[in-house]
Amino acid sequence: MSDILIQIPDDTIVALKCLPKDIGNEIRMLAAVKLYEMGRLSSGAAARMVGISRVLFLSRLKDYNVSALSLSQKEFIREAEILEINNL
């Protein structure tokens, strides 16, 4: 896994009402959700990015107003192929 360092102004941390140690996890989840929503990552890849199970990732999408079932036909086929490959 690669580490990516980003700098966040102190006033942004205050505005987010998060502890600095929790902001990294929140940003990683937000990025994974957005990349999933844009079709750039599968749900499984997005879940791995965050370090949680695919089922938990899909269940948390509602917290970000993203539907887990709004897949295009191409995305649906890709997800089905991933499940078949992983025998899930």
Side-chain angles (χ1 to χ4, degrees):
M1 209 177 273
S2 298
D3 289 333
I4 298 173
L5 177 67
I6 61 170
Q7 294 182 340
I8 299 173
D10 292 335
D11 59 334
T12 301
I13 293 171
V14 171
L16 291 173
K17 299 178 184 168
C18 280
L19 296 173
K21 67 182 181 104
D22 297 330
I23 290 177
N25 291 333
E26 180 67 13
I27 290 172
R28 189 169 40 251
M29 182 66 179
L30 288 165
V33 168
K34 189 62 179 179
L35 290 167
Y36 169 77
E37 182 181 36
M38 294 172 62
R40 303 266 317 265
L41 289 179
S42 68
S43 59
R48 285 190 299 279
M49 180 177 167
V50 181
I52 60 177
S53 73
R54 181 176 175 271
V55 172
L56 180 56
F57 177 78
L58 290 170
S59 71
R60 291 194 57 201
L61 288 175
K62 68 182 179 308
D63 298 337
Y64 300 90
N65 296 319
V66 174
S67 175
L69 301 176
S70 62
L71 300 176
S72 68
Q73 183 177 4
K74 182 179 176 183
E75 292 167 329
F76 181 80
I77 291 168
R78 183 177 63 194
E79 289 289 326
E81 288 170 348
I82 290 169
L83 291 174
E84 185 177 325
I85 289 169
N86 293 320
N87 294 318
L88 298 176

